[in-house]
Amino acid sequence: MASRPERLLRGGDSPLSASFLELFFDLAFVLALSQLATHLLHDLTLAGALRTAVLLTGVWWIWVPTTWFADWYDPESPAVRWLLVGSALGSLLIGVAIPQALDGRGLLFAGAYVSVHIARGVVTAVGLRGHPRQIRTLRILCWFSVSAVPWLAGGFLPQWRVPLWLLALALDLTGPRLRWPTPGMGRTRREELHLAGEHFAERYQQIMIIALGELVLVAGLSYAGTDLHFPQTVAFLLVFATAVLIGLLYVTPAGQRLGPAIERADPARLGVITGYLHLVMIAGLVVTAVGAELSIAHPMETGDTTAVLVILSGPTLFLAGRILFSAAIHRRLSWPRVAALFVLAAAAAVLRLPLLVVSAVATGVALLVVVLDHAGIGSYRHRSGA
């Protein structure tokens, strides 16, 4: 019979598919992503974009460590189930706080973030006492305990909030890349960071569907609020087409090969780097949702620089993350995708046309990349389409 700590860990016979509570946890991010898009829409400046990026990174770094946690521990364990429920609640509270996270609700945002990470570390450390895996949990808990100081200090000090939260995020994001070196405990061994490739790849696909769902939801709500005239209908259809094309760009083919790649790779490298790169792609989808609202609401308005940049920056961000994603998995570049980045950048610099036309350019570039990918143009023969 397995010991109590052993029962907490994911066994070799545990199903690799996502559990119901993992999917339930993902639902909290529907609110968070919607709030982030609204936050950016109401502050379309460089400073506003940077502030939204800070909040998005905090939201994302709830999802990534919780997904690692669900990969390492038995999803049928009562402790794991309750921690996933608590993580979902914490994520919802973060979503509630986002509109005023840099004003009156900073402590709610920081407190929910810190509580999720500290609770997870404390419960698993206690549950694993006497087991060799406890040391891994203690290292991670130490790092989150240190970053909790600037997180909570920023919650209490609005004037210092952004720099303090940037410091906290720097600690949280660099910890796993360095394998959480801790005085007296050293670094986590690479074999302790093993991730089940099939499970992890499925989880990334699921959160990308959530993000794409937010884009489709924004498009539908924006279109429903118009008079349904022809330009608005075309703008809506272009956004829908962009969502489909982005989905195709993600899943074919590197997104489908993520599982075997994680199994073969050093998890301290690929397991962590894919978390960073998915943040870039998720950011691209958030910005695309903002651009969708602008283009559907005002399709025939000649776009100013800001509106044009927003509409084209979303697909550009996603494509940049997708290119780096393929490079991380296969160490190869798709030249059509790289060329598409330059096309989108050039279009952002020169286009001063109605937003409907700008949206059509973004959709057209995405369509061309998908077609070239499908034809295998610009890919390496032994790793076609990487």
Side-chain angles (χ1 to χ4, degrees):
M1 181 179 293
S3 64
R4 182 179 176 182
E6 287 288 352
R7 289 199 298 269
L8 185 62
L9 296 168
R10 179 183 283 270
D13 57 348
S14 296
L16 293 178
S17 58
S19 67
F20 170 80
L21 284 177
E22 287 180 85
L23 300 176
F24 180 79
F25 164 69
D26 285 354
L27 290 178
F29 290 86
V30 175
L31 173 63
L33 293 174
S34 176
Q35 296 278 57
L36 286 164
T38 302
H39 187 275
L40 178 59
L41 182 64
H42 291 164
D43 190 4
L44 288 176
T45 63
L46 179 58
L50 292 175
R51 287 190 286 265
T52 303
V54 170
L55 298 176
L56 171 60
T57 305
V59 168
W60 182 241
W61 218 248
I62 287 281
W63 190 88
V64 171
T66 301
T67 301
W68 291 339
F69 162 79
D71 192 80
W72 290 335
Y73 298 97
D74 185 358
E76 299 303 317
S77 165
V80 172
R81 288 181 171 184
W82 282 112
L83 284 169
L84 285 172
V85 171
S87 298
L89 176 60
S91 301
L92 279 173
L93 292 174
I94 284 174
V96 170
I98 283 172
Q100 301 176 41
L102 298 175
D103 298 309
R105 294 182 181 173
L107 191 57
L108 176 60
F109 186 98
Y113 179 95
V114 168
S115 296
V116 168
H117 292 307
I118 298 299
R120 181 176 59 241
V122 169
V123 171
T124 51
V126 171
L128 290 171
R129 60 182 181 274
H131 192 279
R133 283 288 187 266
Q134 185 190 41
I135 194 77
R136 175 185 66 187
T137 297
L138 290 173
R139 291 189 190 100
I140 298 172
L141 178 58
C142 284
W143 272 74
F144 277 121
S145 298
V146 171
S147 73
V149 176
W151 272 116
L152 295 176
F156 283 107
L157 302 170
Q159 67 275 25
W160 292 97
R161 186 163 295 164
V162 171
L164 284 169
W165 284 4
L166 284 172
L167 172 61
L169 285 170
L171 290 169
D172 289 342
L173 270 67
T174 57
R177 189 70 180 95
L178 300 174
R179 290 183 283 134
W180 295 287
T182 307
M185 291 185 280
R187 296 173 187 263
T188 301
R189 298 192 306 274
R190 295 183 188 278
E191 59 268 23
E192 293 179 300
L193 298 175
H194 179 266
L195 298 168
E198 180 182 334
H199 174 255
F200 220 65
E202 180 187 13
R203 295 296 291 124
Y204 272 127
Q205 289 184 13
Q206 287 161 352
I207 196 62
M208 288 299 295
I209 289 173
I210 291 289
L212 283 168
E214 164 58 18
L215 172 57
V216 172
L217 179 63
V218 167
L221 291 176
S222 299
Y223 183 51
T226 70
D227 297 324
L228 310 186
H229 292 160
F230 181 74
Q232 296 155 340
T233 300
V234 174
F236 166 72
L237 292 175
L238 286 171
V239 172
F240 179 78
T242 299
V244 172
L245 293 168
I246 286 176
L248 291 175
L249 282 171
Y250 178 77
V251 299
T252 54
Q256 295 177 340
R257 298 175 185 169
L258 179 58
I262 289 178
E263 291 286 354
R264 294 192 305 267
D266 170 11
R269 185 190 72 84
L270 188 58
V272 175
I273 288 175
T274 52
Y276 301 155
L277 297 181
H278 276 79
L279 171 60
V280 178
M281 289 187 278
I282 294 288
L285 290 173
V286 171
V287 178
T288 301
V290 176
E293 190 158 351
L294 293 173
S295 64
I296 293 171
H298 310 286
M300 301 312 295
E301 182 177 302
T302 300
D304 59 14
T305 302
T306 299
V308 171
L309 282 175
V310 169
I311 292 172
L312 296 176
S313 292
T316 301
L317 267 176
F318 174 84
L319 196 57
R322 184 60 180 77
I323 289 168
L324 294 173
F325 180 42
S326 285
I329 295 175
H330 305 287
R331 300 185 185 276
R332 294 291 186 271
L333 291 177
S334 167
W335 295 112
R337 296 176 196 165
V338 175
L341 286 181
F342 287 99
V343 172
L344 289 169
V350 303
L351 285 183
R352 296 298 177 268
L353 298 171
L355 297 185
L356 180 63
V357 177
V358 177
S359 181
V361 169
T363 304
V365 171
L367 175 61
L368 183 60
V369 173
V370 168
V371 170
L372 293 177
D373 272 1
H374 183 73
I377 297 174
S379 62
Y380 291 84
R381 183 178 299 277
H382 64 291
R383 294 197 178 189
S384 179

